[in-house]
């Protein structure tokens, strides 16, 4: 199903079929509706009429029947209703009443046009203000409501303003999820980082919250910072979506991370479930993983006779970042939910899954990233998968590349694969100013903090309106250096820029008007116009590369990647060459691995970590670092609380080294 085309109609008349074909061929977003989406109160007597919506074009009313009088009434009623929707969402103060924009933004056709290209060309808008106004009207009609205070009515002038004020419109697949979805015990959404999964969950939350005033809903994720950010965001989201019902926290709606603590029954999803069924609540320990805790809860509920004795805890559960959860937690949520569990995850967040696509079998697959510049996404995938190196760490088959939004071409003579991505509406008019979306910076000549400060100054010089909220600094490394860097920046940034600093790995929160600094473990689900990623030695550990991918894709404008060349001679030039091709030509040209290399890649992914028990794995890390016996138990617990049952040696070495350096023994 095309992500560029959406039709509200159950049938597909010839005119609609030609529109769909044109949309697929040109990769141009087109919506065909009969009534405004997202509000069932708007209905019309005349069924043989549609509205064709296409960004930067007029709203085109088309009569696909033969009653022109009823068609004219339909147009008048529809425009009047659009004015009411505009008033409801506070757009009217910005865009004005229908009489202000109807003549220049509405076209009518008493017969369906034969020539689709001519039809769209004659409705094309020239004035930038009219183009923006058209997109605002489309957002109202498709239910993709934008915060009018954010997008404004004026045409933005600077690059940062253009990106910040970009009007977000659901694509075809996103719109189908909201309006054409199938109910079931589990509905799965999978997509790349930045494809709008969390936004869709919020729209789904609004819909089910309003549909049943007695429903009980849990929105949960693994990460504490993300859970707190979501909880803060829900009230403002409900406000601008004009949800009139009061939010009844911890009565009808919970938004917490997955585990929770014994002292507060509403601190986590698992903790809340345990309280409802009076189950044994298990804390994390050396022998108690989250997976085991959930499986014990499942067994205990079964032993009590299932959910029938006490009923269901929730009507709906919405899981964000589902790739962080064991299957047992999803199963537990399904067991205790009366209606549906909506599961949203990133098919690439674990880019070393043995089968990246078929293993998830989603109901909805989102392949277009609307946060991150396509060039940033390509570079991040290449770094994460080792595509510029020989042999690569990961390779996908053609179907998997395509499911992840790539266009695949081969030069068999040179054994080269060219990978590119479809153009995105969010960046389609910024080509002249977005000359590069990633800068690879060699930090050999001075300390990392000097380069970070230099990057911030460059951002300020090019974007005078930039604020502390617009920049995120993320570090990854094997030792204490990243935390020392954060400490030094904590002194330098307030002095240099008069910005307070938030070390998120300590606060586990985000604060407005603070420069965000964190390690790789506290940035999932966050985004910034600009991201500065600081690394030391680039390792080939699979989870290490996963983390790099996740870090680099946090930006929606530009990423600065700070790496010392001297300690990365094998990969630095590979990265630089690959990035030059991406920035220059918008594509990756990578050598196709041989059959023997693919077998080795597959074998490594299948068997990594399976030859040792987890305890033996951690003990081997302790042995490598020379950790004294008396320090091993607390280090084991603190390490497992961060990385779980993950057999990633580089990550474990980094965490153990840091925690050991903080111990007084």
């Amino acid at each position: 199903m095309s992500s560029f085309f959406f039709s509200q109609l159950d049938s597909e008349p010839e005119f609609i079929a030609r529109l769909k074909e044109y949309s697929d061929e040109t990769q141009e977003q087109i919506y065909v509706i009969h009534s405004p989406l997202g509000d069932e109160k708007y209905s019309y007597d005349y069924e043989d009429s549609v509205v064709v919506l296409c960004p930067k074009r007029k709203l085109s009313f088309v009569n696909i029947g033969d009653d022109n009088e009823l068609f004219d009434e339909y147009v008048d009623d529809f425009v009047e209703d659009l004015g009411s929707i505009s008033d409801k969402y506070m757009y009217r103060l910005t865009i004005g009443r229908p009489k202000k924009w109807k003549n220049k933004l509405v076209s009518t056709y008493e017969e369906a046009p034969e020539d689709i290209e001519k039809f769209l060309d004659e409705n094309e808008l020239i004035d930038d203000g009219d183009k923006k106004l058209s997109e605002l009207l489309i957002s109202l009609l498709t239910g993709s409501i934008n915060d009018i205070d954010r997008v404004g009515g004026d045409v933005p002038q600077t690059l940062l303003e253009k990106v910040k004020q970009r009007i977000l419109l659901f694509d075809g697949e996103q719109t189908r999820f909201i309006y054409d979805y199938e109910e079931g015990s589990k509905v799965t959404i999978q997509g790349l980082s930045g494809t709008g999964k969390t936004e869709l969950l919020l729209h789904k939350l609004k819909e089910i919250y309003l549909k049943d005033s007695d429903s009980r809903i849990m929105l949960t994720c693994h990460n504490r910072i993300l859970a707190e950010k979501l909880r803060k965001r829900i009230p403002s989201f409900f406000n601008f979506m004009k949800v009139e019902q009061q939010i009844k926290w911890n009565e009808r709606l919970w938004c917490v991370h997955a585990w929770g603590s014994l002292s507060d029954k509403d601190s986590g999803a698992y903790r809340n479930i345990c309280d409802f069924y009076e189950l044994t609540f298990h804390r994390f320990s050396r022998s108690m993983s989250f997976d085991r805790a959930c499986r014990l809860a499942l067994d205990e509920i079964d032993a009590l006779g299932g959910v029938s004795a006490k009923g269901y805890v929730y009507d709906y559960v919405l899981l964000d970042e589902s790739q962080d959860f064991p299957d047992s937690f999803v199963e537990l949520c399904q067991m205790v939910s009366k209606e549906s569990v909506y599961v949203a995850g990133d098919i690439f967040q674990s880019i070393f899954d043995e089968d990246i696509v078929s293993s998830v079998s989603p109901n909805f697959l989102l392949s277009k990233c609307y946060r991150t510049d396509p060039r940033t996404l390509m570079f991040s995938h290449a770094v994460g998968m080792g595509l510029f190196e020989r042999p690569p760490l990961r390779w996908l088959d053609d179907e998997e590349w395509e499911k992840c939004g790539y266009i695949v071409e081969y030069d068999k003579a040179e054994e080269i694969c060219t990978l590119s991505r479809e153009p995105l509406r969010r960046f389609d008019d910024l080509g002249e100013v977005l000359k590069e979306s990633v800068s690879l910076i060699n930090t050999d000549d001075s300390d990392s903090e000097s380069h970070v400060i230099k990057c911030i100054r460059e951002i300020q010089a090019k974007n005078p309106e930039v604020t502390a909220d617009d920049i995120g600094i993320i570090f990854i490394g094997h030792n204490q250096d990243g935390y020392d860097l954060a400490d030094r920046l904590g002194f330098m940034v307030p002095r240099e820029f008069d910005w307070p600093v938030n070390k998120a790995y300590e606060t586990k929160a985000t604060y407005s008007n603070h420069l965000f600094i964190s390690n790789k473990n506290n940035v999932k689900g966050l985004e910034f116009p600009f991201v500065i990623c600081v690394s030391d030695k680039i390792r080939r550990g699979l989870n290490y590369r996963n983390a790099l991918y996740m870090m680099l894709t946090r930006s929606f404008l530009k990423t600065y990647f700070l790496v010392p060349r001297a300690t990365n001679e094998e990969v630095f030039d590979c990265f630089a060459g690959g990035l030059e091709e991406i920035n220059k030509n918008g594509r990756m040209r990578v050598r196709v691995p041989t059959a023997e290399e693919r077998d080795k890649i597959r074998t490594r992914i299948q068997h990594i970590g399976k030859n040792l028990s987890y305890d033996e794995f951690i003990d081997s890390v302790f042995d490598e670092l020379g950790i004294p016996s008396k320090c091993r138990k607390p280090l084991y617990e603190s390490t497992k609380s961060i990385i779980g049952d993950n057999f990633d040696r580089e990550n474990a070495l980094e965490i153990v080294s840091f925690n050991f350096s903080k111990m007084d023994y």
Side-chain angles (χ1 to χ4, degrees):
M1 187 70 71
S2 170
S3 61
F4 291 98
F5 183 80
F6 173 83
S7 175
Q8 187 184 25
L9 277 65
D10 295 329
S11 61
E12 192 173 90
E14 183 181 352
F15 171 65
I16 308 303
R18 293 200 305 271
L19 274 174
K20 182 180 184 302
E21 183 180 359
Y22 180 89
S23 175
D24 293 343
E25 289 178 355
T26 61
Q27 299 181 345
E28 189 161 359
Q29 195 73 53
I30 296 176
Y31 312 82
V32 179
I33 64 173
H34 174 71
S35 58
L37 300 175
D39 198 329
E40 297 180 355
K41 75 177 183 179
Y42 298 107
S43 61
Y44 308 97
D45 294 331
Y46 188 54
E47 296 291 337
D48 295 329
S49 53
V50 296
V51 187
V52 179
L53 308 174
C54 187
K56 301 178 182 178
R57 287 180 168 84
K58 295 179 181 180
L59 281 60
S60 301
F61 291 79
V62 179
N63 187 0
I64 55 177
D66 55 12
D67 193 320
N68 291 335
E69 184 177 346
L70 288 178
F71 174 68
D72 290 340
E73 290 180 8
Y74 166 79
V75 173
D76 291 339
D77 291 345
F78 193 103
V79 171
E80 181 181 341
D81 290 342
L82 179 52
S84 297
I85 298 171
S86 168
D87 194 35
K88 175 181 177 180
Y89 291 107
M90 308 299 290
Y91 276 41
R92 179 174 289 179
L93 293 175
T94 300
I95 68 177
R97 296 179 181 274
K99 63 182 181 181
K100 178 180 178 181
W101 47 259
K102 180 180 178 180
N103 289 337
K104 61 180 179 179
L105 292 181
V106 170
S107 62
T108 59
Y109 292 79
E110 293 185 346
E111 293 182 0
E114 292 289 335
D115 189 331
I116 297 300
E117 187 171 356
K118 178 183 177 182
F119 162 69
L120 293 172
D121 285 346
E122 63 191 20
N123 284 290
E124 186 173 359
L125 296 167
I126 304 301
D127 180 75
D128 287 339
D130 291 342
K131 291 178 183 179
K132 183 168 185 178
L133 183 53
S134 169
E135 293 193 3
L136 287 171
L137 294 175
I138 293 173
S139 73
L140 290 171
L141 291 172
T142 57
S144 182
I145 309 301
N146 286 250
D147 185 348
I148 195 64
D149 291 333
R150 176 184 66 83
V151 300
D154 297 330
V155 177
Q157 300 301 314
T158 69
L159 176 60
L160 186 56
E161 287 175 345
K162 287 180 179 179
V163 175
K164 281 184 172 183
Q165 295 180 30
R166 186 59 53 118
I167 299 166
L168 303 180
L169 299 175
F170 294 132
D171 65 23
E173 189 74 344
Q174 292 169 323
T175 308
R176 274 184 286 276
F177 168 72
I178 298 173
Y179 302 112
D180 291 347
Y181 63 91
E182 299 177 6
E183 287 283 5
S185 62
K186 182 173 75 170
V187 178
T188 304
I189 320 165
Q190 289 286 333
L192 301 174
S193 174
T195 51
K197 299 181 297 296
T198 301
E199 190 74 17
L200 291 179
L201 285 183
L202 289 174
H203 278 267
K204 182 59 63 179
L205 170 63
K206 179 213 71 165
E207 179 185 340
I208 59 182
Y209 196 84
L210 292 176
K211 182 171 65 175
D212 182 357
S213 60
D214 295 323
S215 61
R216 292 161 58 89
I217 308 164
M218 167 62 75
L219 173 58
T220 186
C221 58
H222 187 272
N223 185 278
R224 289 175 183 266
I225 289 182
L226 179 56
E228 182 62 26
K229 184 176 182 181
L230 285 171
R231 185 181 172 92
K232 290 179 179 177
R233 186 179 173 190
I234 288 171
S236 59
F237 177 79
F238 273 28
N239 283 340
F240 87 76
M241 291 300 292
K242 303 307 174 186
V243 175
E244 296 178 355
Q245 294 185 24
Q246 180 182 0
I247 298 177
K248 297 180 179 179
W249 291 112
N250 301 335
E251 180 181 342
R252 280 197 61 203
L253 176 60
W254 289 258
C255 182
V256 290
H257 71 107
W259 201 315
S261 61
L262 180 63
S263 60
D264 182 0
K265 68 180 180 64
D266 295 314
S267 59
Y270 164 68
R271 175 67 181 91
N272 195 245
I273 293 169
C274 287
D275 177 77
F276 185 88
Y277 293 109
E278 299 180 348
L279 309 178
T280 304
F281 175 76
H282 296 279
R283 296 187 180 95
F284 168 79
S285 70
R286 183 175 181 129
S287 61
M288 185 57 63
S289 66
F290 189 51
D291 180 41
R292 186 176 179 215
C294 291
R295 295 199 179 280
L296 289 172
L298 286 165
D299 292 341
E300 199 170 346
I301 293 174
D302 283 337
L304 293 172
V307 298
S308 58
K310 292 199 66 175
Y312 296 94
V313 190
Y314 315 111
D315 293 285
Y316 299 90
V317 173
L318 293 84
L319 298 177
D320 200 9
E321 303 290 355
S322 63
Q323 70 280 349
D324 294 335
F325 294 122
D327 292 340
S328 56
F329 180 63
V330 180
E331 185 180 346
L332 179 62
C333 290
Q334 283 184 263
M335 175 180 280
V336 303
S337 301
K338 183 179 180 181
E339 301 294 342
S340 295
V341 175
Y342 294 94
V343 181
D346 184 349
I347 59 175
F348 234 88
Q349 201 67 255
S350 181
I351 58 179
F352 300 103
D353 285 343
E354 184 178 344
D355 193 336
I356 202 168
V357 173
S358 62
S359 61
V360 296
S361 301
N363 300 87
F364 298 89
L365 182 61
L366 310 176
S367 61
K368 293 179 176 57
C369 176
Y370 293 95
R371 174 179 64 214
T372 305
D373 189 295
R375 294 168 297 177
T376 305
L377 196 63
M378 284 189 281
F379 180 72
S380 303
H381 285 160
V383 169
M385 300 172 72
L387 298 180
F388 299 143
E389 305 159 54
R390 294 299 303 270
L393 296 168
R394 183 72 163 100
W395 189 258
L396 307 183
D397 62 30
D398 289 358
E399 180 190 8
E400 290 175 322
W401 284 122
E402 290 167 2
K403 292 290 187 182
C404 294
Y406 280 95
I407 301 167
V408 186
E409 299 176 3
Y410 287 98
D411 184 336
K412 294 185 178 179
E414 297 183 20
E415 298 181 334
I416 295 294
C417 177
T418 299
L419 299 167
S420 58
R421 298 188 66 82
E422 296 171 340
L424 291 182
R425 200 187 64 81
R426 182 169 187 175
F427 297 99
D428 60 2
D429 59 354
L430 300 179
E432 292 302 313
V433 286
L434 276 174
K435 295 187 180 300
E436 61 177 29
S437 64
V438 178
S439 286
L440 179 64
I441 299 173
N442 177 14
T443 59
D444 282 341
D445 60 341
S446 61
D447 294 330
S448 293
E449 62 267 26
S450 300
H451 284 279
V452 172
I453 296 298
K454 184 177 179 181
C455 289
I456 298 175
R457 287 188 181 130
E458 177 183 309
I459 293 170
Q460 278 192 326
K462 295 181 178 179
N463 307 273
E465 72 276 29
V466 74
T467 66
D469 292 328
D470 295 328
I471 303 173
I473 300 172
I474 312 167
F475 60 86
I476 184 173
H478 185 62
N479 49 38
Q480 178 69 22
D481 289 351
Y483 300 94
D484 292 341
L485 167 66
D487 289 340
R488 292 192 294 272
L489 289 173
F491 288 107
M492 297 175 68
V493 168
R495 186 176 66 243
E496 295 279 343
F497 305 101
D498 196 27
W499 289 345
V501 167
N502 171 30
K503 298 178 188 176
Y505 56 88
E506 294 178 347
T507 64
K508 304 296 182 182
T510 56
Y511 300 112
S512 61
N513 302 315
H514 283 63
L515 181 69
F516 180 94
I517 303 178
S518 180
N519 58 13
K520 60 182 170 42
N521 298 316
N522 298 284
V523 296
K524 197 167 287 185
L526 304 182
E527 62 182 20
F528 307 88
F530 303 97
V531 167
I532 302 171
C533 296
V534 185
S535 179
D536 53 10
K537 174 68 176 175
I538 303 293
R539 298 166 183 80
R540 285 178 67 83
L542 303 188
N543 279 42
Y544 184 91
R545 292 301 182 99
N546 245 357
L548 278 180
Y549 155 69
M550 184 265 296
M551 291 164 52
L552 293 168
T553 55
R554 294 305 96 189
S555 74
F556 60 78
L557 195 54
K558 184 167 183 177
T559 294
Y560 295 82
F561 190 24
L562 278 53
V563 183
R565 187 181 185 280
T567 54
N568 294 282
E569 291 185 358
E570 294 183 4
V571 298
F572 191 93
D573 291 340
C574 295
F575 288 176
L579 179 59
E580 182 180 6
E581 174 72 18
I582 290 172
N583 277 329
K584 182 178 179 181
N585 299 313
R587 67 185 185 185
M588 292 188 284
R589 284 176 52 83
V590 295
R591 187 165 296 279
V592 179
T594 64
E596 181 181 358
E597 288 173 336
R598 292 194 199 191
D599 286 340
K600 290 181 179 179
I601 292 169
R602 190 177 301 110
T603 300
R604 184 184 186 197
I605 292 171
Q606 287 175 340
H607 295 292
I608 186 168
K610 292 185 178 180
N611 295 327
L612 295 175
S613 70
Y614 187 77
D615 286 0
E616 290 171 330
F617 165 70
I618 291 295
D619 284 339
S620 70
V621 172
F622 291 158
D623 291 341
E624 181 176 340
L625 294 173
I627 303 298
S629 299
K630 64 182 179 180
C631 299
R632 294 195 175 196
K633 183 176 180 180
L635 284 174
Y636 178 97
E637 294 179 353
S638 60
T639 301
K640 193 168 185 179
S641 68
I642 296 173
I643 66 174
D645 294 322
N646 213 312
F647 288 78
D648 180 4
R649 179 167 293 275
E650 284 86 355
N651 199 17
L653 285 166
E654 177 185 345
I655 298 300
V656 171
S657 296
F658 172 69
N659 288 335
F660 180 62
S661 70
K662 298 293 186 180
M663 294 181 69
D664 184 15
Y665 69 97

